[in-house]
Amino acid sequence: MNDFAPDSITFSTGHYIGGEVVATGERLPVARPSDLVDYADLPVATADTVDRAVTDAAQALARSGWATQPPRERARAMRRWAELIEERALELGRLEALGSTRPIAQAVTGDVASVAEGIRFFSEWADKLGGDVAATRADHLGMIVSEPYGVVGAITPWNFPLSMASWKVGPALAAGNAIVLKPSELTPFSTVRLAELAVEAGIPAGIFNVVQGNGAVTGDALSRHPDIAKLSFTGSTRTGVAVMKAAAESGIKPVTLELGGKSPQLVFADADLEKAATCIAGSLLANAGQACVAGSRLIVQRAVMAELVERLRKKLAAVIPGPTWKAATGYAPIVSEIQAQRIDRILAESARQGAQCLLGGSRIEGHGGAFYQPTLLANVTAETAAVREEVFGPVLTIQGFNEEEEGLALADHPEYGLAAGIYTADLGRGLRAMRALKAGTVWINRYSRTLDFILPTGGYKSSGIGKDLGRQAVEQNLRHKTVLIDIGG
Ligand code: NAD
């Protein structure tokens, strides 16, 4: 992987509606996270532009036969799209790196490669969906027929722009829907390139549309559009509440919500401590903690606390911050100055509450963008700001326990239940803890996703409703019609 010059990258800065770049709306400046320089601006789609995209998508569905053609044709078009994404991995990866927190080396071989494979995974569902024949009286035939919704909407966050878009578009299209997607206004441009490649691969124009803009105007208009039959949102819990409310106020539509997390890393004394430290440090360093599943609360049995913390210190000491367009960069910038100030605020409040900083605790100076040191906070309680709130930065709080029940009680967060890590050599204990933890994903003796897209992801409690990935994501893009036929006799 080579460095690239940020000013050498060209891309479309409009909305993408009906296969065309459209540029209506007031424009908002967009900054590169690496140096916070404004490098482009994007138009803000008002309710009129959102309406145009939704209407175009409905017409494209009717015109193209996307939902009614033999499903294997749909699968074939999506497979071609996945191949094209792989062929253009460097170009797409550079655009992703330019405008987001993803360093180029990770963007090309990690994010883009996984997007292509994810689209391929979803394409394979196209001709494997169907309904059921139900048990009824012999003179009746009862069927449950599954159908696509029509035009669905999606709203995505800034932390993994291409991946988050593919998790929404893949299942929606495989199920036979058209989609109108609004990316984050902080990282808007790579999603349009993804949509352009879909059309180039033979997916009919208008089946995958992108509307640009901020949440208050464009996101709200999309959530409220009466012809959006189903909505899928990924972002913070606070915004998820607004989206759910808007969806309910505009004709009732189902919403899938992938929201925030405050996930525990529960380490028992019998665990392989080196492996646990590698997994926990890896989770903290990935995208500098700006990941929904970041394992941000270490809960460790007191007998091994000192040793584990020492191992973590060593692993967290040598990060390589830098601009995302340098191949050597291994550590992501914080997405914006506002987000960095939020981390400052949570750390300052935690310090006032008595938290003791064992590592880091401040920004890494000398870069144009905001970079944050990996941070370890001890002497915290359930009330400490960094334990209570989702930081969305490289901050790990440390709490100790003696007995299993005490550890499980600390692991249970009052608000969030997205993911959890358990480290133990005792499988029985690991499985007991797995059952006890209220989390949508539990990892035992590891802490990260694989390319096993069949495993769904989603939260318990205020971390969300419904699932991305897996069979479940495809099923959520279908609705069911009950048919009862009198066959006499
Ligand atoms: P955010 O909630 O600020 O924004 C997410 C999206 O919602 C953006 O596109 C934004 O423009 C839009 N939005 C904002 N206000 C809106 C409104 N009133 N109506 C409609 N749309 C609106 O979140 P973010 O800062 O972009 O992302 C970080 C958050 O996302 C974190 O909380 C993180 O945990 C969460 N996240 C969750 C998952 C998951 O799978 N559970 C994955 C990634 C990120």
Side-chain angles (χ1 to χ4, degrees), residues 92-127:
L92 257 181
R94 284 183 170 169
L95 183 51
E96 185 77 327
L98 174 72
S100 80
T101 58
R102 310 294 302 134
I104 180 64
Q106 297 168 25
V108 175
T109 58
D111 302 45
V112 176
S114 147
V115 164
E117 205 49 35
I119 297 291
R120 205 170 273 131
F121 167 83
F122 283 118
S123 76
E124 291 156 7
W125 286 98
D127 66 343

Side-chain angles (χ1 to χ4, degrees), residues 242-301:
V243 164
M244 198 171 181
K245 190 160 175 274
E249 286 170 354
S250 55
I252 300 286
K253 50 178 79 82
V255 289
T256 302
L257 300 174
E258 298 293 341
L259 309 176
K262 195 70 221 175
S263 302
Q265 303 266 19
L266 185 59
V267 182
F268 290 94
D270 64 351
D272 175 340
L273 290 187
E274 181 56 19
K275 189 171 183 199
T278 302
C279 295
I280 295 164
S283 161
L284 197 67
L285 297 180
N287 212 26
Q290 300 164 109
C292 55
V293 292
S296 56
R297 292 186 299 129
L298 172 60
I299 292 156
V300 52
Q301 211 154 15

Side-chain angles (χ1 to χ4, degrees), residues 311-329:
R311 285 176 195 262
L312 279 172
R313 263 181 198 278
K314 287 197 184 116
K315 290 185 189 296
L316 296 171
V319 293
I320 308 173
T324 42
W325 42 84
K326 295 271 185 207
T329 296

Side-chain angles (χ1 to χ4, degrees), residues 155-159 164 182-185 214-215 219-220 223 233-236 239 242-243 258-261 292 390 392 418:
I155 299 174
T156 51
W158 50 261
N159 55 347
M164 294 296 106
K182 190 201 90 63
S184 167
E185 62 275 33
N214 56 13
D220 186 65
S223 309
F233 170 81
T234 298
S236 61
T239 310
V243 164
E258 298 293 341
L259 309 176
C292 55
E390 184 181 41
F392 232 56
L418 192 56

Side-chain angles (χ1 to χ4, degrees), residues 4 25 158 161 186 190 241 306 323 327 410:
F4 69 94
W158 50 261
L186 299 180
S190 56
V241 171
L410 285 173

